[in-house]
Amino acid sequence: MRYSAFSVFLNALRGNKDWKPAWRSPVPKNHYDVVIIGGGGHGLATAYYLAKEFGVTNVAVLEKGYIGSGNVGRNTTIIRSNYLLQGNNPFYELSMKLWEGLEQDFNFNAMVSQRGVLNLYHSDAQRDAYTRRGNAMRLHGVDADLLDRNTVRQMLPFLDFDNARFPIQGALMQKRGGTVRHDAVAWGYARGADSRGVDIIQNCEVTGIRRENGRVVGVETSQGFIGCGKLALAAAGNSTVVADMVDMKLPIESHVLQAFVSEGLKPFIDNVVTFGAGHFYVSQSDKGGLVFGGDIDGYNSYAQRGNLATVEHVAEAGVAMIPALSRVRVLRSWGGVMDMSMDGSPIIDRTPIDNLYLNAGWCYGGFKATPASGFCYAHLIAKNEPHETGRAFRLDRFARGRMIDEKGVGSQPNLH
Amino acid sequence: MASLIACPHCGPRPKEEFTVRGDAGIARPVPDAGEDAWYAYVYLRDNPRGRHKEHWHHTSGCRRWLVVERDTMTHAIYAVSDAGTQDASTRGETA
């Protein structure tokens, strides 16, 4: 069924009794051309673009929980393409362009809101670094504006401009950045893939990968053996667990990142605002809750929950940036497991095993990349050749000294 | 992460006193060990879901480096020892 204002109206007249589930719950077939491990945003987007752009429809997406239970439903919903480095920038800009046309493309309201992303700067050196970043973005055809203190003050009068440690001097703004309703992204891709013949199999945990003559022939799952022509990993924080099944060691550590939502408030934060110096960023959802987060807790973790010490740190940083937050009550907090790579950039590549593909290492930047990650991964799987914007995300770049270290902190995953 | 870490010198202390360094199971290769060994040392990680040994520094206590063995899924801590009492491989040295 195609969704439209007319279909909403018609179904309302019929008492909303005719709505169908957005995707099926099929029994897995014995064999698929492509099996994708991981029904998160990236896995579903990959299946969607495989079917829609590359004509590969005999595809299964295996999800150990339910659709939307992992990181695609645990992030802070921000989209942006304000990257400095050459390997990153065109890729994230492709993602931004896909976001801009996504709702029409998959016929689902994902509430894409290009409300602008501001990165605050607090010193001359930071201003220079942001000027450089903004110039690099503009050279790649991405929008960027360097705002001075007065302009930021007019836009965001509630910030603490005269903070003793980090006085605000201005901000780098990407107007096309913003937020997207993350659940709708998962549902929209799932529905789009399903309607093109992809089987989405929930509550199906992969327990082993069967190999014959050096090739993958299928996966052992909690719902039995499923054969495949090609196997694609998109397991995010659990990438190491899956890669261990083929004895492949990854340049990845799993860490927990927390996020928070406050009680509903009247609209007062129009944009996404980041306070990198204090480890805090915030936006306001359409329901009125402030959505905010900080840095990762810092130790290896597969638990989807974090520590109170980090909660306290994030709250302190938030109040330092916006003193009015001191009276806001936090409604919920949660944690997601991040696949932190050794240079802070992802991996979309073939592996030493012929028909096994890897998509991992998204750190805490995976959500904004969902469309481009799916598109590039689908391209790689269908054609066995990387998409031109995803060429730099190679698995062997660490051994070859071709790191994409956007933050410049080296191979220390808990610092990225 | 558990709330308390039982420091072998100071007893059970709140984990906010400690600073994590990372995987304690990787051994530093000899200088001429070759590119593969150095690549594995710098970049590859076991990253287990389950038992894991890590270096933690008792920053706000005795300032000793410790090896904490804990579970990355349940947050249970199994053992804590002084890094100086570990055998050579977990001290980060190879023969």
Side-chain angles (χ1 to χ4, degrees):
Chain A
M1 184 201 294
R2 204 179 151 71
Y3 296 156
S4 64
F6 183 67
S7 76
V8 172
F9 179 70
L10 211 62
N11 275 284
L13 284 182
R14 292 174 185 155
N16 285 316
K17 285 175 193 149
D18 294 340
W19 292 112
K20 301 278 183 299
W23 59 86
R24 301 162 292 134
S25 297
V27 176
K29 292 192 271 186
N30 292 330
H31 189 273
Y32 292 91
D33 293 341
V34 176
V35 165
I36 298 168
I37 300 181
H42 292 220
L44 293 168
T46 304
Y48 174 78
Y49 291 116
L50 268 176
K52 181 168 178 283
E53 303 291 336
F54 302 98
V56 183
T57 56
N58 188 17
V59 176
V61 179
L62 311 183
E63 166 56 43
K64 73 171 177 173
Y66 59 91
I67 297 304
S69 60
N71 291 349
V72 72
R74 287 170 182 271
N75 54 75
T76 43
T77 79
I78 293 162
I79 60 167
R80 57 185 174 85
S81 58
N82 53 357
Y83 281 75
L84 171 73
L85 299 179
Q86 214 150 28
N88 276 334
N89 192 304
F91 173 81
Y92 287 101
E93 179 56 15
L94 169 68
S95 211
M96 182 58 80
K97 291 203 172 103
L98 290 169
W99 283 121
E100 287 172 335
L102 186 67
E103 293 163 305
Q104 287 70 31
D105 187 65
F106 67 18
N107 181 231
F108 202 91
N109 181 10
M111 294 164 71
V112 176
S113 163
Q114 292 181 291
R115 58 184 70 183
V117 174
L118 289 98
N119 305 126
L120 302 177
Y121 61 80
H122 313 272
S123 65
D124 291 355
Q126 214 181 358
R127 181 201 57 215
D128 292 350
Y130 279 4
T131 307
R132 181 178 174 226
R133 176 180 297 264
N135 285 336
M137 288 161 65
R138 293 175 84 127
L139 284 171
H140 278 107
V142 183
D143 68 305
D145 295 285
L146 197 72
L147 310 181
D148 63 15
R149 182 181 160 101
N150 281 335
T151 313
V152 176
R153 197 192 278 276
Q154 279 165 17
M155 292 174 67
L156 310 166
F158 47 79
L159 298 178
D160 184 7
F161 282 84
D162 300 314
N163 182 295
R165 178 65 184 84
F166 297 115
I168 295 165
Q169 293 193 6
L172 179 66
M173 181 176 191
Q174 187 187 14
K175 287 182 181 155
R176 287 160 66 237
T179 60
V180 179
R181 185 182 178 204
H182 53 199
D183 304 304
V185 174
W187 300 334
Y189 275 125
R191 174 171 166 268
D194 177 87
S195 68
R196 287 171 176 83
V198 173
D199 281 358
I200 296 164
I201 301 160
Q202 305 182 74
N203 302 309
C204 180
E205 182 169 3
V206 172
T207 53
I209 296 173
R210 196 185 290 177
R211 281 178 290 172
E212 281 170 21
N213 303 321
R215 288 175 65 85
V216 172
V217 294
V219 289
E220 314 282 353
T221 78
S222 52
Q223 297 189 28
F225 177 78
I226 301 171
C228 64
K230 292 175 176 178
L231 183 64
L233 311 185
N238 283 292
S239 292
T240 299
V241 177
V242 185
D244 280 348
M245 296 173 189
V246 288
D247 308 313
M248 184 165 67
K249 211 164 161 177
L250 297 178
I252 283 173
E253 284 184 6
S254 297
H255 287 259
V256 65
L257 176 69
Q258 301 189 66
F260 311 84
V261 170
S262 79
E263 59 188 333
L265 303 167
K266 287 186 177 177
F268 86 109
I269 299 180
D270 298 335
N271 319 92
V272 178
V273 191
T274 79
F275 177 34
H279 311 152
F280 182 80
Y281 63 95
V282 65
S283 65
Q284 189 166 17
S285 80
D286 294 340
K287 283 192 287 187
L290 302 182
V291 184
F292 58 96
D295 275 356
I296 54 176
D297 280 24
Y299 48 83
N300 286 41
S301 177
Y302 281 86
Q304 289 171 316
R305 61 190 186 280
N307 250 302
L308 284 173
T310 305
V311 177
E312 188 177 18
H313 180 72
V314 169
E316 284 171 355
V319 173
M321 178 175 124
I322 307 174
L325 289 190
S326 64
R327 287 176 293 147
V328 172
R329 281 168 295 194
V330 174
L331 206 62
R332 296 184 283 131
S333 77
W334 63 94
V337 184
M338 311 290 115
D339 34 338
M340 302 298 295
S341 70
M342 289 291 170
D343 60 359
S345 296
I347 298 157
I348 306 176
D349 202 1
R350 293 171 286 234
T351 67
I353 299 169
D354 251 359
N355 57 344
L356 179 70
Y357 300 85
L358 177 66
N359 178 324
W362 290 97
C363 302
Y364 36 75
F367 178 69
K368 76 177 92 68
T370 304
S373 167
F375 195 92
C376 291
Y377 201 28
H379 185 287
L380 178 75
I381 295 162
K383 304 192 171 194
N384 209 32
E385 277 293 322
H387 186 266
E388 59 175 328
T389 65
R391 247 173 221 292
F393 301 141
R394 295 175 59 127
L395 177 57
D396 67 356
R397 69 174 182 267
F398 303 95
R400 290 152 47 97
R402 309 283 256 179
M403 268 75 71
I404 314 166
D405 191 345
E406 187 82 25
K407 204 168 171 185
V409 294
S411 60
Q412 188 67 25
N414 60 359
L415 296 183
H416 280 290
Chain B
M1 186 59 202
S3 297
L4 296 173
I5 295 175
C7 175
H9 308 293
C10 314
R13 304 295 305 171
K15 66 139 203 327
E16 286 74 28
E17 290 186 2
F18 300 79
T19 312
V20 66
R21 170 63 181 83
D23 197 331
I26 35 178
R28 188 182 177 87
V30 293
D32 57 356
E35 281 182 13
D36 289 348
W38 276 97
Y39 161 66
Y41 169 67
V42 177
Y43 296 112
L44 296 183
R45 294 291 180 268
D46 283 333
N47 190 28
R49 181 166 73 186
R51 273 179 187 257
H52 184 46
K53 279 187 180 174
E54 268 170 355
H55 280 129
W56 287 75
H57 187 233
H58 196 177
T59 322
S60 306
C62 58
R63 300 192 65 79
R64 292 290 298 173
W65 280 99
L66 309 175
V67 174
V68 177
E69 186 178 9
R70 61 182 190 90
D71 193 303
T72 58
M73 193 70 200
T74 66
H75 292 166
I77 291 183
Y78 300 113
V80 185
S81 54
D82 191 288
T85 63
Q86 300 289 302
D87 61 41
S89 66
T90 52
R91 264 210 321 269
E93 295 162 13
T94 48

